[in-house]
Amino acid sequence: MSIADHAGVPRPARAPLTLKRLLQHGATQSALITLLGLAVMALFLMPLGYMFATAFKPEDQFSAIGAPIWPGKPQTFVYDGKELPLYNVPTDQGTKQWALVKGFREDADFVDPASPEKGVFNWKGRYRTLTPVYQPTLALDGFSKAWDQVDFPMLFRNTLALAIISTIGTLISCIMVAYGFARFKIPGKNILFLILVSTIVLPPQATVIPLFILFSKLGWTGTWLPLLVPAFFANAYDVFLLRQYFMGIPREMDEAAAIDGANPLRTLVSVIIPQAWPAITAVTLFHFFYTWNDYFLPLVYLVGKEDRYPISVGIAKFVGGFSRYPSLAMATAVMTVLLPAVLFFLAQRQFMQGVVSSGVEK
């Protein structure tokens, strides 16, 4: 019994926990989580938005005073055969959009586009502090200029060839290795798998020097072989993802196939692979995007061979050369990411299924 009960003080009545309060509480939590997710998404997409906005801006917008962050061009009004810029001018009746006829230090002559018959009138104030009126416009000049100066067909052809061949090699090798780890009894299998997975923490920069010496001895530097041949020997990321998915497929299906006379290879082709399309799609996209975006290894092995550069290396020097022209640099970047973005949106359902089912995020 509490002290309040001994003192005879009545306790305040507790409000009943009604269904309406529970729903309101749940709705508030959902709204907060949604807002948090939108804020994180906005921060994550901010560089991408800057890239697209800059790519579609006209060149003169970057040096214009008071220009908006979105692509646009100054709005003008034709008066007496002259094209006059429009400004947002504060007045007693609110902000008006007037066309500047002539500006002075402490005043300016304007004409109202809504009633040009009233003629030119004087406004007291510094017109240089006014904000110009812009209308949204997408300028495509940067794309055409970048396409003319960069050999995009050659870069796209090289990148697609590297990405497709490398992805095919990765799929074949990783499926075979993952199938072995998932289905066969191998002495020391767990230790071997642990050693394989531990290579994930090994950065490629740690092995690039011995590999470069090896490939130089083989005479492969300056060719695509150092970029393609290792893909046919599997990698830890994709083997782990596929193994996790294969282990979720019931073994009874293997046993049924064995009763029907299927050997392990036929079981893999006819039973395991058709059941693992989400994981295989995820691995395909993972490796395709990795090869598409890889900059370091092609830069090391293809130095001096510009006709064999992928797009990640090929556009680097042009982006540096376009530093004085941000719209050209960003237009080049937009064209580079366009194809991978389209591929991801077309296969995003299978990609997410594979990632969720295997519990792996690369």
Side-chain angles (χ1 to χ4, degrees):
M1 185 175 289
S2 64
I3 297 176
D5 294 334
H6 283 292
V9 179
R11 290 184 173 182
R14 181 178 295 178
L17 194 61
T18 61
L19 179 61
K20 183 178 180 180
R21 288 185 58 194
L22 286 174
L23 291 176
Q24 288 177 346
H25 183 66
T28 305
Q29 281 189 335
S30 299
L32 289 176
I33 292 173
T34 303
L35 288 175
L36 180 62
L38 290 175
V40 173
M41 184 182 69
L43 287 174
F44 185 77
L45 294 178
M46 196 175 292
L48 203 62
Y50 173 80
M51 181 183 71
F52 277 95
T54 306
F56 288 100
K57 281 183 181 178
E59 286 294 336
D60 54 357
Q61 188 178 349
F62 295 100
S63 57
I65 300 175
I69 60 173
W70 38 265
K73 69 175 183 179
Q75 218 168 351
T76 57
F77 176 71
V78 178
Y79 181 74
D80 282 347
K82 296 181 180 178
E83 199 170 3
L84 306 176
L86 286 179
Y87 285 89
N88 291 310
V89 184
T91 66
D92 296 336
Q93 292 79 31
T95 302
K96 301 287 186 180
Q97 292 185 351
W98 291 343
L100 177 67
V101 179
K102 191 171 184 180
F104 306 98
R105 182 177 177 82
E106 299 294 339
D107 60 343
D109 291 338
F110 283 98
V111 64
D112 188 359
S115 53
E117 67 277 1
K118 293 181 180 178
V120 179
F121 56 89
N122 188 261
W123 175 79
K124 299 297 182 184
R126 296 183 176 182
Y127 80 94
R128 294 183 185 277
T129 62
L130 300 176
T131 305
V133 179
Y134 274 79
Q135 60 180 359
T137 303
L138 298 180
L140 302 177
D141 297 344
F143 290 90
S144 58
K145 292 179 180 176
W147 185 269
D148 292 337
Q149 298 186 36
V150 181
D151 193 355
F152 275 102
M154 182 198 72
L155 295 177
F156 277 124
R157 184 180 64 247
N158 292 347
T159 310
L160 280 174
L162 282 171
I164 291 174
I165 297 173
S166 176
T167 303
I168 291 174
T170 298
L171 286 177
I172 295 173
S173 58
C174 290
I175 287 175
M176 300 290 285
V177 175
Y179 181 54
F181 277 118
R183 284 296 194 262
F184 295 100
K185 294 181 179 178
I186 306 171
K189 183 174 71 174
N190 292 333
I191 296 176
L192 289 174
F193 187 71
L194 186 63
I195 295 173
L196 175 67
V197 173
S198 65
T199 61
I200 293 176
V201 300
L202 193 65
Q205 291 81 1
T207 59
V208 68
I209 293 179
L211 286 177
F212 184 83
I213 295 173
L214 173 64
F215 293 141
S216 297
K217 298 289 185 183
L218 295 174
W220 288 3
T221 53
T223 70
W224 286 353
L225 291 176
L227 306 174
L228 295 177
V229 173
F232 286 82
F233 290 91
N235 64 80
Y237 282 114
D238 298 329
V239 168
F240 181 71
L241 191 151
L242 290 169
R243 173 187 175 269
Q244 296 299 105
Y245 199 94
F246 289 169
M247 292 181 68
I249 299 174
R251 286 182 176 272
E252 288 78 7
M253 300 182 70
D254 299 32
E255 295 170 359
I259 292 174
D260 291 339
N263 57 28
L265 183 60
R266 181 59 184 270
T267 303
L268 172 65
V269 174
S270 302
V271 177
I272 301 298
I273 290 179
Q275 301 293 323
W277 276 121
I280 294 173
T281 304
V283 169
T284 303
L285 294 179
F286 273 145
H287 194 79
F288 186 87
F289 294 150
Y290 171 78
T291 307
W292 187 278
N293 297 323
D294 190 16
Y295 174 78
F296 179 66
L297 294 180
L299 181 67
V300 171
Y301 295 124
L302 299 177
V303 60
K305 303 291 183 181
E306 295 187 4
D307 58 331
R308 296 168 190 174
Y309 278 171
I311 197 165
S312 57
V313 180
I315 67 168
K317 67 174 185 179
F318 293 102
V319 171
F322 292 160
S323 58
R324 293 177 56 193
Y325 307 97
S327 63
L328 289 182
M330 293 300 108
T332 305
V334 168
M335 285 190 282
T336 302
V337 303
L338 204 56
L339 181 59
V342 171
L343 288 177
F344 176 77
F345 281 111
L346 290 177
Q348 60 175 327
R349 185 175 179 182
Q350 289 78 10
F351 176 77
M352 294 307 298
Q353 284 180 355
V355 172
V356 172
S357 301
S358 58
V360 176
E361 185 177 358
K362 191 172 182 178

